[in-house]
Amino acid sequence: YATQADGVQLGLVNYRQKEMKGIQLGLINACPTTEVDILMYGGNQTAGNIAARFKNRMLYTIVGLGGYRLDLNDRFSATAFYRAGISVPVVKRLSLSGDVGFEHIEAFDNKDAATPARLYALQTRISAELKIAPRFGFFLSGGYDWTRRYGHAGNFDKGLFGEAGIILSAK
């Protein structure tokens, strides 16, 4: 938490009460001009996700939770993820973005011989976002995912994924 940093602000969670003139480097960065969005979406990997996006100018971070990882087995699983990226406006309501992320995957007690209890995934993603109204929009994403076991070399799984969802903006 800082109130007078105009250069570089480092930390896990950075907050500034006044306009930030410098740069914030952290997992979550916020100031009065930060756009906070709620993303709700699904895809061919997880049945449902909910996330908060913190966007400052062109840079953003996303923190979220997902339920039921579809590519593991038919039992319940959950995910927690973090992404960081850049968004570029194309026209007034359309923007393109790209990000990289980390996802923790928890299989709980539903693990079996083929599915470990815990996995992680490294992801790259590109997205197109269309704002229908100031507080509402849609997005489509596609990317590539490398799913791995903790403490093991090599991939558990890898491949393309797609997502689609809605955006609810706080501003």
Side-chain angles (χ1 to χ4, degrees), residues 3 54 75 120 126 141:
T3 58
F54 302 90
R75 299 176 184 153
Y120 71 94
I126 58 171
S141 297

Side-chain angles (χ1 to χ4, degrees), residues 24-160:
Q24 294 174 308
L25 298 172
L27 294 179
I28 297 173
N29 303 300
C31 65
T33 59
T34 300
E35 294 177 35
V36 180
D37 301 319
I38 300 299
L39 310 174
M40 294 183 284
Y41 60 98
N44 67 327
Q45 281 190 333
T46 51
N49 299 287
I50 187 162
R53 176 174 65 183
F54 302 90
K55 188 174 177 185
N56 292 299
R57 298 181 202 132
M58 294 176 25
L59 301 177
Y60 64 87
T61 57
I62 299 173
V63 180
L65 300 171
Y68 187 45
R69 179 81 181 214
L70 300 171
D71 57 349
L72 292 182
N73 55 29
D74 61 351
R75 299 176 184 153
F76 181 75
S77 57
T79 66
F81 54 88
Y82 175 81
R83 295 177 175 148
I86 186 166
S87 178
V88 178
V90 177
V91 292
K92 186 175 181 176
R93 295 185 188 184
L94 178 67
S95 62
L96 298 176
S97 61
D99 56 51
V100 295
F102 175 86
E103 180 179 52
H104 171 78
I105 304 161
E106 183 67 47
F108 300 106
D109 292 332
N110 296 322
K111 65 184 185 303
D112 56 30
T115 306
R118 286 168 198 83
L119 297 160
Y120 71 94
L122 303 174
Q123 301 174 327
T124 60
R125 186 175 72 146
I126 58 171
S127 302
E129 179 180 321
L130 180 64
K131 286 279 191 165
I132 303 299
R135 294 183 177 221
F136 184 77
F138 294 100
F139 73 92
L140 291 171
S141 297
Y144 199 83
D145 174 279
W146 295 267
T147 304
R148 303 175 63 105
R149 291 178 177 92
Y150 285 102
H152 290 82
N155 292 322
F156 176 77
D157 194 14
K158 61 183 175 180
L160 296 171

